[in-house]
Amino acid sequence: MDKHYYTLNDFYRKKFGCKIVKLSLDANFTCPNIDGTKGVGGCIFCSKTPYIGDKNDDIIVQIEKMKKLLSNKWKNPKYILYFEAGTNTYASVDKLKEIYEPILKISDVVGINIGTRCDCLDEEVLSYLKDLSKRTYLTVELGLQSCHDKTLKSINRNHTRDEFTHAVKKLKNLGIDIVVHIINGLPNETPKMMIDTAKYVNSLGISGIKIHMLYIEKDTKFYNIYENYPFKLLTEKDYITIVAKQLQYLDKNIVIHRIISNPDLKKLYKPEWLVGKFTLLNKIDRYLIDNDIYQGDYAGRNISME
Ligand code: SF4
């Protein structure tokens, strides 16, 4: 069935003309929102555990192990390396070079995605990222989660929407592709607030978005928070309706890197409906088709967020 939104696979096929496999790596970065520089304890939902091997493996070993693990799935794919855990520009430029330079020499690696925070992009780091972007396909992934300052405060992000806007402008001036992460279902957010976040992201002129559903994993700090102060999680139906509306406000050229969350099912506590990833994706597609909804339906309009 044809998708009514611009998928990452479509984008990669157009850009690289071959199968692209993304490898999630862990360079052992911490985060200024964990170590006390900006905050302590991190964002309430932070889990920081994407790499499935030994975290002490160096990056080259991690890449080889991941490639081996996936070797039966695709024949001669190219790879994009995704530095997901922690804040992957939170170090001196010398340290960043130690991590990122060796991987540029791997012939089947065609790009690097660096996940970071909007407040970890000083001039020196930006200058290095610009240099990197001339030598590989570089994408910087920035967590925003919500465009509402009161939500950012309540989830302990420790940055504001204005700081985020400022960082995006700087990256855009350098011609670097930006992917923004947002989360639906954050505590005390209404559907309108979530849709306003999509409108705000659209106004930034970024190249991609990851749309997540808030979920809770067992034995985490967030699990304890939820147990003590339970709040209403979105139903599957609510989520599908909100995502469909968000897509309508996103320009057709924004690549939808993710439209649902991908939790570790062994750890997932709530919502239970996130368990069936492919069923959910199909339900979203079906809803878009049945209601004749396409990404970008409203994106060209003069959008008011209030
Ligand atoms: S910014 Fe990212 S790594 Fe840091 S605490 Fe928040 S979610 Fe975790």
Side-chain angles (χ1 to χ4, degrees):
M1 125 177 49
D2 276 347
K3 297 275 186 188
H4 283 205
Y5 57 92
Y6 190 9
T7 69
L8 185 59
N9 269 342
D10 287 344
F11 169 70
Y12 281 159
R13 212 174 302 127
K14 252 194 237 168
K15 186 166 181 69
F16 298 104
C18 63
K19 176 69 198 170
I20 297 293
V21 176
K22 244 181 177 180
L23 305 180
S24 265
L25 306 171
D26 189 339
N28 252 323
F29 282 99
T30 180
C31 172
N33 201 25
I34 292 175
D35 73 5
T37 304
K38 284 300 291 261
V40 283
C43 310
I44 57 168
F45 52 81
C46 180
S47 59
K48 199 182 166 301
T49 52
Y51 175 61
I52 49 175
D54 181 344
K55 283 183 186 304
N56 296 317
D57 286 345
D58 91 359
I59 292 300
I60 303 294
V61 175
Q62 290 185 35
I63 295 167
E64 288 314 315
K65 282 189 178 175
M66 297 285 284
K67 278 184 179 175
K68 209 169 158 196
L69 212 75
L70 299 168
S71 61
N72 291 333
K73 259 186 145 177
W74 298 281
K75 212 169 177 337
N76 302 322
K78 301 281 185 205
Y79 297 93
I80 287 191
L81 307 182
Y82 178 25
F83 290 84
E84 183 178 9
T87 298
N88 295 280
T89 58
Y90 187 44
S92 67
V93 168
D94 285 344
K95 178 75 189 159
L96 299 183
K97 283 182 179 168
E98 259 177 50
I99 292 161
Y100 299 126
E101 289 302 311
I103 58 185
L104 297 179
K105 298 188 184 113
I106 307 174
S107 60
D108 51 8
V109 170
V110 293
I112 307 177
N113 291 8
I114 295 181
T116 190
R117 282 172 59 91
C118 65
D119 51 8
C120 287
L121 294 164
D122 65 24
E123 294 308 321
E124 239 190 305
V125 168
L126 285 168
S127 156
Y128 177 57
L129 293 179
K130 183 180 178 188
D131 176 46
L132 257 184
S133 72
K134 290 182 186 152
R135 293 178 289 143
T136 189
Y137 174 59
L138 176 71
T139 307
V140 172
E141 301 208 7
L142 289 177
L144 167 68
Q145 321 315 353
S146 167
C147 75
H148 304 281
D149 280 337
K150 66 176 179 186
T151 304
L152 295 180
K153 200 163 180 217
S154 73
I155 61 173
N156 200 36
R157 282 293 296 175
N158 284 307
H159 69 69
T160 61
R161 166 164 137 179
D162 281 353
E163 283 174 279
F164 191 87
T165 310
H166 192 59
V168 167
K169 276 188 190 152
K170 284 186 168 183
L171 285 164
K172 273 190 69 181
N173 285 343
L174 299 177
I176 293 171
D177 274 6
I178 304 159
V179 174
V180 176
H181 293 226
I182 66 171
I183 299 180
N184 289 329
L186 289 167
N188 302 316
E189 287 224 332
T190 60
K192 182 183 179 306
M193 290 170 80
M194 299 169 216
I195 292 159
D196 282 347
T197 292
K199 292 179 187 176
Y200 162 76
V201 171
N202 186 61
S203 76
L204 297 171
I206 46 91
S207 50
I209 187 167
K210 283 187 176 171
I211 304 174
H212 302 266
M213 167 64 204
L214 184 73
Y215 61 86
I216 299 155
E217 291 181 335
K218 291 168 206 151
D219 302 325
T220 59
K221 189 184 63 174
F222 193 26
Y223 173 86
N224 294 331
I225 294 173
Y226 182 79
E227 286 293 283
N228 288 318
Y229 307 100
F231 57 89
K232 199 168 174 289
L233 287 164
L234 293 180
T235 64
E236 184 184 62
K237 190 165 167 253
D238 290 341
Y239 184 77
I240 293 172
T241 317
I242 290 163
V243 163
K245 195 55 109 187
Q246 287 174 321
L247 288 174
Q248 289 182 290
Y249 285 105
L250 293 170
D251 186 274
K252 283 185 173 55
N253 294 313
I254 293 178
V255 182
I256 311 300
H257 285 238
R258 185 177 281 283
I259 202 162
I260 56 171
S261 301
N262 192 19
D264 178 342
L265 297 183
K266 287 197 279 302
K267 295 184 188 163
L268 181 67
Y269 174 56
K270 280 189 179 182
E272 292 88 350
W273 53 264
L274 269 181
V275 168
K277 178 178 167 180
F278 293 106
T279 311
L280 179 56
L281 281 172
N282 287 337
K283 283 184 186 173
I284 293 173
D285 286 339
R286 177 48 52 203
Y287 182 85
L288 298 177
I289 290 167
D290 290 348
N291 292 283
D292 199 24
I293 289 171
Y294 286 84
Q295 178 181 347
D297 280 341
Y298 306 150
R301 294 190 193 168
N302 193 8
I303 294 163
S304 159
M305 297 210 312
E306 305 309 327

